[in-house]
Each structure stands twice: as C-alpha cells, then as structure tokens.
Amino acid sequence: MEAALAAVAERALRCGARSGMDALLQQTLNWTGASGAALFDGRTCVARVGTGVARPTSGARGPRVLEVWPDRVGQAHGAVLARLATLGGVLVSAHAREVAAAARQARLLERLRKQERELAGWERRRSRAAHDLRTPLMVIKGYLDMMVKGTAGPLNATVHRYLERMVRVAQDQRALIDRRLGRQSLACVEDIRPLLHEAFRSPRLAATLALPDRPLSIRGRTQEVETWVRELARGIAASGATQVSLRVDAEEATARWRFHARTTGGHGAAGASASRLRALTRRLQGELLLPSVGEQVWLARLPSDEASREEPVTRDSGRQ
C-alpha cells in the first residue's frame, strides 16, 4: 500500500492534482472492491469513479473527504479508507489551489490582451495625430523654402530675415512632433530621478543627491540613458571614493542638464570605465569632463528632452 500511495503522489506531482485524485480513486476501487468512490471538497464532488450516485455524508468533523459505496464496503475497510482519505484531502486542497491559480492566470491573460488592444488603439491615434500635424507643416515649409529662394520675387533683407526665422521655427516644430509623437517617443525616459537614487544606493559609497523638483528628462533612447546613469555611478564607485555629492541643475539657455559630482577620497576615473562613459556621452550628444589623479570633480552636460534635435553634436573632453 505504501508503494501505491507513493505512486499516486508522484503522479499528482507530475501531472497535476486532478490526475492524482483520479489515480487515488482507482486505487480505492482496487483495494476495497467498491462499485464507486468520490472525493468531496465540503459538499461539492470534485472527482468520482465507478457506478452509482455520489452522496456526501457527515462525520464528527463535518463532510467526509472520501466516500465509497455501497456502505458495507466502507465499514469493512475503515483503516484503509482513513489513510486514503488523508492523501485525498491533500490532493483536494492542491486541486483547489491549482484551480485558483488557473483562474488568476486567465484573468491576467485577459488583462494583458486588453492592454495590448488599448496600446494598439493608442498607437493608431498617435500615428494619425503625427500625420495630421506634419502634413500642414510640410506645406508651410515648402512655401517658405520657395520664398527664401526667390521664387515669388525679390526680397529685401528684413523679409529674408523673417522668412529664415520662420523656417527655423518650422524645423523646430517638426523636431518637436517627431520627439513627442514619433515611434521612439514611447521609449524615452521621462524622469531619471528614481534611476539616480537607485544607481547611487551602495553600502560602500555614501551619496548625497540634490535633484531638481521637476522631472529630469534626458533626450535619448531609454537603454542608453539608463546605461549612462549606471556607468556614472559605477565609475565613481570604482575610483575608490567613499563619499559623493551629486547636484543636477538645468541650464535653460542651452536646454541641457548639468551633472556636477564632487567626491571624497579615491583617485581619478579608471581607464575602462572612463572610455565607456565617454562613448555613452557622445551617443547622447553631451559633454563630459572627468577628473585626473588627485582631482575630485566629475562634470557632465546632457541635452534635455526639450532640446532641439537640430543642434550639432558636441564633443566630450577629459583629462587623464
């Protein structure tokens, strides 16, 4: 009997509680010679085999888990049925947990599909909005270009200056539409303040952060921005510094964020870390000034999400 119960338990582990309950009931018929058997969760029949109608009966502790019929079979095999009922109760509880987990999984799947449908709807609306905004802007820019080239007749210096200003504004507006409604806009980091707190949380480096009150948005791909922040924290920690004070300020005139980090202890920026940080800064069109041996200041400037994409790429600098 021990081997049979172990086989039932193994089947339940491999194929699920439902399969284990079916195997247990089949073994019950084999051992007792009953014509039918059933497992109950309270007064609800969850599994049955054989012929006849399953009816729950109550004992001293409420409805019994395992029922066999006819009744005289149960009276003759009371000890065997007690052991089977113990395993049956475990399988019934496991089956209830599996049913609840399956229902929860179904709800999560339905929620995921609903969110995918909503996302597809937002993507269609974004695409239409971007198209509706770009179309008249293309017409305006086309006529401005023709006027600047003299197609509509000669222009004086004042009108020419006005037209050039209008062309620049049209270009900035197109860049703004691409940034806000382009496909890559969904992948932009809107606020890196939580990321800064996470990256500079280290038991070996005491960090003090002074961040702006408004969202700190960096122009660039999400992965590149997140990697830059983590590489900055990793580079400062690798320099051997014990403390760092990081302050981030907005340079409104240049539409950039200024990262100023002053460390205590340690040496200059390490070679490998400095190279990775420089490469990431170039990708983000920023500026970088790394400390040499004996210096304690790390300085970086990164373009804000509000910066015009027509700006030329600035080079980074460093001292080793």
Side-chain angles (χ1 to χ4, degrees):
M1 185 175 182
E2 298 295 337
L5 292 178
V8 171
E10 182 179 358
R11 183 177 181 85
L13 290 174
R14 296 179 57 185
C15 305
R18 179 69 193 194
S19 180
M21 289 190 298
D22 293 339
L24 178 67
L25 292 178
Q26 191 61 49
Q27 290 291 349
T28 301
L29 296 186
N30 295 338
W31 288 328
T32 63
S35 61
L39 286 171
F40 285 86
D41 186 1
R43 304 192 66 85
T44 303
C45 181
V46 293
R48 64 181 300 275
V49 295
T51 60
V53 179
R55 292 188 177 90
T57 58
S58 298
R61 299 181 179 180
R64 293 187 295 194
V65 174
L66 177 62
E67 295 285 350
V68 296
W69 55 89
D71 294 338
R72 55 182 174 80
V73 175
Q75 297 171 359
H77 298 83
V80 174
L81 291 178
R83 296 196 61 184
L84 294 173
T86 301
L87 179 57
V90 174
L91 294 177
V92 168
S93 299
H95 179 258
R97 289 193 297 269
E98 290 179 356
V99 170
R104 185 169 58 253
Q105 183 69 20
R107 290 194 298 270
L108 291 175
L109 183 60
E110 178 60 28
R111 188 181 304 172
L112 175 62
R113 290 173 177 171
K114 180 181 179 181
Q115 291 177 348
E116 289 176 346
R117 292 192 296 269
E118 291 178 353
L119 181 60
W122 279 108
E123 174 63 20
R124 289 192 296 269
R125 288 191 288 271
R126 180 207 61 79
S127 180
R128 287 197 297 267
H131 177 268
D132 293 343
L133 290 173
R134 289 192 187 106
T135 299
L137 193 60
M138 290 175 59
V139 176
I140 294 172
K141 190 172 181 301
Y143 278 104
L144 289 174
D145 290 339
M146 289 190 293
M147 294 175 66
V148 170
K149 293 177 182 178
T151 304
L155 305 173
N156 58 41
T158 301
V159 175
H160 195 275
R161 186 172 65 255
Y162 290 166
L163 291 175
E164 287 183 343
R165 174 58 180 167
M166 294 170 66
V167 170
R168 287 196 300 271
V169 171
Q171 291 174 345
D172 291 342
Q173 184 66 23
R174 174 59 185 265
L176 180 62
I177 293 172
D178 291 340
R179 185 165 68 253
R180 297 300 186 188
L181 297 176
R183 290 188 179 276
Q184 295 181 358
S185 63
L186 298 176
C188 293
V189 180
E190 296 294 337
D191 190 2
I192 67 169
R193 289 178 298 178
L195 183 60
L196 286 169
H197 284 289
E198 177 187 353
F200 281 90
R201 186 185 301 119
S202 173
R204 295 179 299 176
L205 181 65
T208 303
L209 306 183
L211 305 179
D213 295 333
R214 61 190 176 98
L216 206 168
S217 60
I218 301 296
R219 191 184 70 195
R221 296 180 181 274
T222 301
Q223 184 176 1
E224 292 179 352
V225 174
E226 292 180 351
T227 304
W228 184 89
V229 172
R230 292 192 173 92
E231 194 61 44
L232 176 64
R234 191 180 299 116
I236 293 176
S239 69
T242 58
Q243 295 181 357
V244 59
S245 176
L246 174 64
R247 184 177 185 84
V248 182
D249 298 308
E251 295 181 346
E252 303 294 349
T254 59
R256 291 174 179 269
W257 291 107
R258 179 177 179 269
F259 294 76
H260 183 275
R262 180 175 293 277
T263 61
T264 301
H267 49 76
S273 178
S275 299
R276 290 192 296 267
L277 196 56
R278 284 197 183 93
L280 291 169
T281 306
R282 281 196 297 269
R283 290 182 185 177
L284 296 174
Q285 300 186 2
E287 297 176 345
L288 179 66
L289 181 63
L290 298 177
S292 60
V293 177
E295 296 183 342
Q296 309 295 328
V297 176
W298 302 59
L299 184 62
R301 289 183 175 88
L302 294 181
S304 167
D305 190 39
E306 301 298 331
S308 171
R309 292 188 181 273
E310 306 297 330
E311 294 178 359
V313 178
T314 57
R315 60 183 180 85
D316 64 336
S317 58
R319 300 190 300 271
Q320 296 296 327

